[in-house]
Amino acid sequence: MERTLKPSARSRVLRVPAYAKVNLGLEVLGVRQDGYHELRSLFQTIDLHDDVVIRPRRRGLEVRCDHPDVPQDERNLALRAALELQRHAGIERGAEIVISKRIPVGGGLGGGSSDAAAVLMALDRLWGVGLGPAGLHGLARRLGADVPFFLVGGTALGLARGDEVYPLHWQVRGHVVLVDPGRPISTAAVFARMDRSLTPRENSNKIFRFVSSDLEGFRAFGILANDLEQAALEEAPDLADQVGRIRGILIREGAALASLSGSGSSFFGLYDDARRARGAQSALTAAGFIVLRARTVSLGQYRRSWARSLGAWRGGAGFEPVKEPAPWRSRTSRSSR
Ligand code: ATP
């Protein structure tokens, strides 16, 4: 039975949405001297999210999650985030973390990384550490290459291991149709496969061209690709057939971009309006796929969501809700909210 909290304690419980991401583009440039891959990633948060409830405690850290494939011990990235912050700040206080999973696990949608960033942000506030997103960056990098992005959100460029994150002035706004093949793919296995075929190659610069181009409308998204797709489909050959059908339907229904997210297994289409997105959802559902629909979450929307969840941010560096940068209207047509 849940203990009834006194009003003062109740007000200190934080409920935060941990948003998923898709990779609008992903380039693997090579293997670095430290063994990690040199990447260029165009990240985009979407409004599909886990719910993370964080309740401070006097002592001890605990994580609970309702998904059978998510560990509830120190292998859980959210719990590791709490431990890292506790150690870093020399804090003895604890917390209970409860995760309701909605983001498919092992889907290339960054669910674990987003949960971890959410815990860093929330405990930074609840424990009064006051580092803010900029000060939490180092801890986030140690937890995983995708974690720093979730301290930023919106449309952002990820360089180095994907952990050097630059929010873009132009934010993509659109509708996302996600196909969840219901089978996880291991990111490590995909990169290992990629290494076997990776030859030093000409830098394609597609993502830089996209970011800096004056291409207008849908043509801009046409140059983006995910370099991990081939290796992911070799790792999961049972998906190869399905991916051809999924891509065909997404494009037939008018997607500006149809791509694998991260190392898979989720595949997504980006649309400029809700009607097209609904059309794609119906066609894919009729073809027997499990489909989720989402909207992009821009940098400003992401920051406002955090400001709502955490209350006024005091003492933390660099996390005031900011004026929304200009949306990428010309690229996603007139879809906006
Ligand atoms: P990655 O590219 O980091 O592997 P992903 O988006 O493909 O990310 P996740 O849903 O983050 O996949 O899960 C990847 C693995 O991490 C799974 O094996 C899962 O058991 C483990 N994991 C640890 N903590 C979490 C968490 N809080 N949420 C989801 N998975 C977690």
Side-chain angles (χ1 to χ4, degrees):
M1 198 185 72
E2 198 167 287
R3 196 162 54 87
T4 314
L5 293 162
K6 291 196 200 109
S8 60
R10 190 200 300 269
S11 66
R12 295 180 64 228
V13 173
L14 286 183
R15 286 161 207 281
V16 298
Y19 293 105
K21 59 85 180 161
V22 289
N23 299 86
L24 299 173
L26 184 56
E27 290 178 333
V28 184
L29 302 183
V31 184
R32 297 152 33 129
Q33 293 218 316
D34 62 7
Y36 289 105
H37 292 83
E38 183 72 19
L39 303 179
R40 274 182 204 148
S41 171
L42 193 58
F43 288 114
Q44 176 65 56
T45 34
I46 58 173
D47 64 3
L48 170 68
H49 60 86
D50 293 343
D51 288 315
V52 184
V53 177
I54 299 128
R55 199 168 270 136
R57 275 182 177 172
R58 270 169 175 276
R59 293 272 186 279
L61 288 167
E62 187 190 351
V63 68
R64 285 191 276 129
C65 181
D66 57 0
H67 195 292
D69 297 341
V70 176
Q72 307 200 55
D73 52 25
E74 288 191 22
R75 288 168 301 162
N76 191 301
L77 210 53
L79 182 59
R80 279 175 38 213
L83 284 163
E84 284 282 338
L85 183 62
Q86 204 185 36
R87 237 172 261 145
H88 175 85
I91 277 184
E92 289 194 347
R93 266 179 287 167
E96 178 192 53
I97 301 159
V98 180
I99 303 170
S100 305
K101 263 280 153 201
R102 297 208 203 130
I103 305 173
V105 174
L109 301 171
S113 302
S114 188
D115 294 346
V119 165
L120 287 179
M121 295 282 287
L123 285 179
D124 184 53
R125 174 95 171 105
L126 283 172
W127 287 342
V129 184
L131 292 172
L136 290 167
H137 184 261
L139 290 178
R141 292 181 68 195
R142 282 211 287 283
L143 290 163
D146 284 351
V147 182
F149 164 67
F150 289 103
L151 297 174
V152 177
T155 312
L157 180 63
L159 302 182
R161 293 163 57 207
D163 53 358
E164 247 182 51
V165 183
Y166 301 92
L168 297 192
H169 180 65
W170 295 101
Q171 295 285 299
V172 172
R173 290 215 182 166
H175 298 259
V176 172
V177 176
L178 268 178
V179 180
D180 171 18
R183 61 101 82 211
I185 300 184
S186 153
T187 303
V190 171
F191 273 106
R193 214 170 255 280
M194 177 101 196
D195 286 349
R196 277 175 244 141
S197 59
L198 196 64
T199 45
R201 63 189 177 99
E202 280 296 300
N203 189 344
S204 74
N205 279 328
K206 282 179 184 157
I207 288 180
F208 282 165
R209 273 172 54 214
F210 176 82
V211 167
S212 59
S213 79
D214 53 4
L215 290 173
E216 288 291 312
F218 278 9
R219 281 193 309 133
F221 288 98
I223 66 170
L224 295 174
N226 182 338
D227 284 353
L228 291 178
E229 183 169 325
Q230 196 186 331
L233 296 183
E234 283 168 18
E235 183 62 25
D238 50 305
L239 290 188
D241 257 9
Q242 294 184 41
V243 161
R245 289 169 60 213
I246 294 166
R247 180 176 266 129
I249 295 172
L250 288 169
I251 289 177
R252 194 186 70 213
E253 298 296 326
L257 173 69
S259 176
L260 190 77
S261 184
S263 57
S265 57
S266 299
F267 211 84
F268 72 95
L270 176 70
Y271 293 86
D272 69 331
D273 72 39
R275 191 181 45 82
R276 284 201 179 101
R278 277 197 300 272
Q281 182 178 26
S282 305
L284 286 161
T285 307
F289 294 106
I290 297 168
V291 189
L292 301 167
R293 204 143 57 79
R295 296 181 77 160
T296 55
V297 174
S298 69
L299 180 67
Q301 288 167 332
Y302 196 78
R303 289 182 176 183
R304 284 193 290 277
S305 166
W306 268 108
R308 271 196 303 276
S309 299
L310 299 187
W313 186 266
R314 286 191 199 95
F319 202 73
E320 295 302 322
V322 294
K323 209 172 141 242
E324 179 81 11
W328 216 326
R329 281 187 211 287
S330 60
R331 294 178 190 251
T332 54
S333 164
R334 265 178 284 280
S335 166
S336 65
R337 42 179 146 159

